[in-house]
């Protein structure tokens, strides 16, 4: 394991109108790891991902991406220096995020969605960006969908375009917010397959999910969050087989007895 | 005094060449209104309370007073505060200012229908604010307000006739000049009405074609 983690979150705290949503979160994700972030609804999972791309400004704590501070940094002498929008934007391509609702640009074709951020943000030539975009879409099985606009794509196809759009920026880390939740249950296996292909190319990922079976079959490590804190983190097998935290135990009991989830997670573990 | 078709036909060439003035001014006005209306929309979207309060006062003035009075103000009142504008410049400024407000109002309405998630996705990818406006927001906004812009263009074309009262020699003023020497107001007024009608029909028609092409591009 390399010394510098791809993602290091320390003491991250976020309050909304005085209500603490993230409470001193610590998390390291190392190169090539897939970490599943699980926890009950409203515990702050999405808020954590949003803070990691600085869409939400944390009130306290630090984020480091591949050793570089994001958003604010601790200077010698204990002074905290806030970064400018320009500095933050420069680091943002390093963190790819795929939202629950994908948020593609509806006025551009699938290919253009993937090409445009490369030319605008990374300054790549159109040719190079198009080559890279087409290659990614092809690898994600969208070779015959590149010229379509998002409204003419299925949910699963939109998700893959969104993944390609983020991957084209050559991120060090990919974040997924509930990749299975906006899609039909039958597609869970498909999403799993797509994320596995990313794992095969060594992509580091932090995946929010409430489907334990999905987490079990995908992740190397699982982090359990409750009420804004990460209560337990470790190798996926250990976390699922021998949870130490009572709240994690009862959370696992709850989702395992939920028939709907048992049924939908039957596919990926096959 | 009856209506004489051949007299109407004989003055049409003069009216049509005067229409070049209306067209030229209308194009300038629409371009200014688009640029200024876009700028105003961007300023308003920053939600700076004091700025938006001032803008709201200006907007209520523009919407609540007749365009003709706004033109008179630009032509007769502004020189009193040191801004001595030629009739054309004063007229173009007044109508463009008026139109800018309507463009901005409809853009603001369109802005509300653009999903905030798209902006967040753009931000997360590292697009700077100006690129988000240029590449993501404005292209969608313009497409959405094409019908409003077409409508506004026809209003602007009709509005240029008002500039005849501040001595701009346009279609209307030309026809008045013809009528006062020939004493045939019937044909001259019908003639100038026809000129405006043809221009606006052409605008509406090309607007509808543009809309259909946008719709086809989206499908
Ligand atoms: N912009 C906001 N303003 C105020 N409160 C917010 C905001 N965003 C999130 N919250 C609150 O923070 C808490 C955590 O929300 P978050 O969306 O991070 O939960 P989550 O773990 O992703 O839940 P779910 O599994 O349902 O998606 C919730 O109580 C939510 O109401
Ligand atoms: Mg969430």
């Amino acid at each position: 394991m390399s010394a510098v983690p791809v993602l290091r979150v320390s003491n991250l705290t976020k309050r909304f109108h005085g209500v603490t949503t993230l409470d001193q979160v610590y998390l390291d994700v190392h190169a090539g790891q897939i970490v599943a972030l699980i926890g009950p609804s409203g515990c702050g999972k999405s808020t954590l991902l949003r803070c990691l791309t600085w869409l939400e400004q944390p009130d306290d704590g630090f984020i480091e991406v591949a050793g570089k501070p994001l958003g604010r940094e601790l200077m010698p002498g204990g002074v905290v220096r806030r970064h400018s929008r320009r500095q933050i934007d420069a680091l943002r391509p390093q963190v790819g995020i795929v939202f629950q609702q994908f948020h593609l640009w509806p006025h551009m074709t699938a290919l253009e969605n993937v090409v445009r951020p490369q030319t605008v943000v990374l300054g790549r030539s159109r040719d190079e960006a198009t080559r890279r975009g087409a290659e990614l879409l092809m690898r994600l099985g969208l070779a015959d969908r590149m010229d379509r606009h998002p409204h003419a794509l299925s949910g699963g196809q939109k998700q893959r375009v969104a993944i390609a759009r983020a991957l084209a920026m050559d991120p060090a880390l990919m974040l997924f917010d509930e990749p299975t939740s906006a899609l039909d249950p039958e597609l869970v296996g498909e999403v799993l397959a797509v994320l596995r292909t990313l794992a095969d190319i060594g992509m580091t990922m932090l995946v929010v999910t409430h489907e334990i079976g999905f987490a079990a079959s995908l992740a190397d490590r699982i982090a359990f969050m409750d009420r804004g804190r990460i209560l337990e983190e470790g190798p996926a097998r250990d976390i699922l087989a021998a949870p130490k935290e009572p709240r994690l135990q009862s959370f696992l009991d709850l989702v395992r007895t939920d028939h709907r989830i048992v049924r939908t997670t039957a596919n990926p573990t096959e | 005094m009856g209506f004489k078709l051949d007299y109407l036909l004989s003055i049409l060439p003069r009216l049509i060449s005067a229409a070049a003035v209306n067209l030229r001014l209308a194009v300038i006005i629409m371009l200014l209104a688009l640029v200024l209306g876009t700028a105003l929309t961007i300023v308003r979207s920053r939600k700076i309370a004091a700025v938006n309060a001032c803008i709201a006062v200006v907007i209520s003035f523009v919407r609540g007073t007749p365009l003709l009075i706004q033109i008179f103000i630009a032509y007769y009142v502004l020189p009193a505060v040191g801004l001595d504008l030629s009739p054309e410049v004063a007229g173009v400024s007044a109508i463009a200012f008026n139109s800018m407000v309507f463009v901005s109002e409809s853009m603001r309405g369109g802005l509300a229908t653009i999903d905030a998630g798209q902006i967040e996705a753009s931000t997360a990818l590292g697009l700077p604010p100006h690129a988000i406006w240029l590449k993501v927001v404005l292209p969608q906004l313009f497409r959405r307000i094409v019908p409003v812009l077409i409508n506004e263009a026809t209003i602007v074309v009709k509005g240029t006739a008002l500039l005849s009262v501040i001595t701009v020699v346009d279609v209307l003023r030309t026809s008045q000049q013809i009528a006062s020497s020939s004493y045939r107001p019937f044909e001259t007024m019908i003639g100038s009405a026809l000129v405006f009608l043809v221009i606006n029909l052409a605008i509406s028609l090309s607007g509808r074609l543009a809309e259909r092409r946008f719709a086809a591009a989206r499908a």
Side-chain angles (χ1 to χ4, degrees):
Chain A
M1 202 174 285
S2 66
V4 180
V6 169
L7 175 69
R8 166 158 285 175
V9 178
S10 42
N11 192 36
L12 205 68
T13 300
K14 174 71 189 173
R15 293 176 212 97
F16 286 113
H17 316 293
V19 181
T20 303
T21 300
L22 294 180
D23 188 6
Q24 301 176 26
V25 170
Y26 286 85
L27 181 69
D28 278 6
V29 180
H30 289 270
Q33 279 183 348
I34 303 175
V35 177
L37 182 62
I38 63 171
S41 180
C43 72
K45 304 180 297 290
S46 298
T47 304
L48 175 60
L49 292 199
R50 293 170 57 79
C51 284
L52 296 181
T53 51
W54 217 258
L55 288 173
E56 220 65 82
Q57 224 167 302
D59 295 294
D60 212 345
F62 298 95
I63 299 165
E64 270 178 41
V65 179
K68 292 199 202 83
L70 172 69
R72 64 164 82 92
E73 67 184 298
L74 196 58
M75 305 301 284
V79 184
V80 174
R81 196 167 65 88
R82 296 157 63 91
H83 289 182
S84 65
R85 167 90 192 232
R86 194 182 289 253
Q87 281 173 299
I88 294 167
D89 278 346
L91 210 54
R92 273 179 166 143
Q94 288 290 298
V95 184
I97 182 164
V98 178
F99 295 92
Q100 248 172 310
Q101 301 301 325
F102 321 130
H103 301 315
L104 296 177
W105 297 311
H107 59 301
M108 296 181 197
T109 63
L111 182 61
E112 198 56 36
N113 263 278
V114 183
V115 168
R116 199 57 69 90
Q118 298 179 63
T119 57
V120 173
V121 178
L122 303 180
R124 285 188 186 147
S125 73
R126 240 200 114 70
D127 280 354
E128 191 192 348
T130 306
R131 217 177 310 122
R132 179 100 173 92
E135 178 209 331
L136 281 167
L137 288 173
M138 211 125 60
R139 203 188 304 162
L140 290 166
L142 292 167
D144 55 343
R145 296 287 187 275
M146 290 197 238
D147 296 324
R148 291 217 186 164
H149 282 76
H151 72 92
L153 296 173
S154 73
Q157 291 166 345
K158 277 186 220 166
Q159 183 178 55
R160 280 178 278 154
V161 175
I163 292 172
R165 181 171 71 173
L167 280 179
M169 310 302 279
D170 296 324
L173 170 75
M174 285 283 284
L175 309 174
F176 291 85
D177 196 356
E178 311 248 11
T180 55
S181 68
L183 304 176
D184 290 342
E186 308 88 71
L187 286 178
V188 171
E190 197 183 296
V191 179
L192 192 65
V194 169
L195 295 197
R196 282 228 174 96
T197 59
L198 298 195
D200 291 342
I201 58 170
M203 186 50 72
T204 310
M205 293 183 260
L206 177 60
V207 184
V208 168
T209 184
H210 54 239
E211 306 224 10
I212 296 303
F214 185 78
S217 52
L218 178 74
D220 309 307
R221 300 178 72 82
I222 290 179
F224 171 66
M225 190 179 226
D226 192 25
R227 295 182 214 170
R229 301 196 80 138
I230 291 189
L231 292 184
E232 196 167 340
E233 198 264 345
R237 208 160 304 163
D238 300 357
I239 293 277
L240 296 177
K244 295 189 199 70
E245 263 297 319
R247 275 194 250 163
L248 173 56
Q249 283 164 13
S250 54
F251 175 73
L252 290 176
D253 288 345
L254 193 72
V255 293
R256 276 171 178 154
T257 54
D258 184 332
H259 289 293
R260 192 187 64 81
I261 289 177
V262 169
R263 191 155 30 82
T264 55
T265 51
N267 309 333
T269 44
E270 268 167 13
Chain B
M1 192 159 68
F3 177 81
K4 284 200 183 136
L5 186 61
D6 48 346
Y7 181 72
L8 172 60
L9 292 176
S10 75
I11 60 164
L12 268 184
R14 274 185 71 189
L15 293 181
I16 290 170
S17 63
V21 174
N22 296 73
L23 267 181
R24 179 170 54 82
L25 297 182
V27 168
I28 296 172
I29 289 166
M30 275 312 285
L31 289 178
L32 281 173
L34 268 179
V35 172
L36 297 175
T38 304
L40 186 65
T41 309
I42 294 173
V43 170
R44 291 168 85 189
S45 78
R46 304 214 119 157
K47 300 202 164 77
I48 304 165
V51 174
N52 280 11
C54 294
I55 292 173
V57 171
V58 174
I59 288 177
S60 73
F61 170 81
V62 167
R63 299 181 72 156
T65 57
L67 178 55
L68 189 55
I69 294 182
Q70 293 166 21
I71 292 170
F72 279 142
I73 288 175
Y75 188 56
Y76 292 115
V77 182
L78 288 187
V81 295
L83 264 176
D84 206 350
L85 306 174
S86 75
E88 275 196 8
V89 174
V92 164
S93 311
I95 304 179
F97 197 81
N98 189 282
S99 206
M100 160 190 86
V101 164
F102 285 89
V103 169
S104 171
E105 286 287 89
S106 48
M107 284 181 92
R108 210 169 60 124
L111 210 52
T113 69
I114 291 182
D115 174 26
Q118 278 183 55
I119 319 272
E120 292 198 330
S122 315
T123 306
L125 283 160
L127 270 76
H130 71 92
I132 296 178
W133 275 108
L134 284 177
K135 312 284 178 187
V136 177
V137 179
L138 291 179
Q140 294 185 61
L141 263 189
F142 285 130
R143 257 168 245 206
R144 241 163 263 200
I145 64 166
V146 164
V148 182
L149 291 181
I150 298 303
N151 188 45
E152 187 59 26
T154 61
I155 292 172
V156 164
V157 168
K158 288 183 279 183
T160 56
L162 295 177
L163 301 187
S164 60
V165 300
I166 55 168
T167 75
V168 174
V169 186
D170 77 320
V171 173
L172 181 56
R173 199 170 179 88
T174 305
S175 69
Q176 282 171 326
Q177 287 168 352
I178 297 171
S180 64
S181 61
S182 68
Y183 300 105
R184 299 202 70 91
F186 194 0
E187 291 86 351
T188 48
M189 283 308 134
I190 294 283
S192 54
L194 276 178
V195 169
F196 280 108
L197 184 63
V198 167
I199 294 175
N200 277 341
L201 283 178
I203 291 174
S204 301
L205 208 65
S206 52
R208 222 167 292 161
L209 287 178
E211 256 179 86
R212 211 169 300 160
R213 270 189 50 191
F214 275 136
R218 243 174 293 172

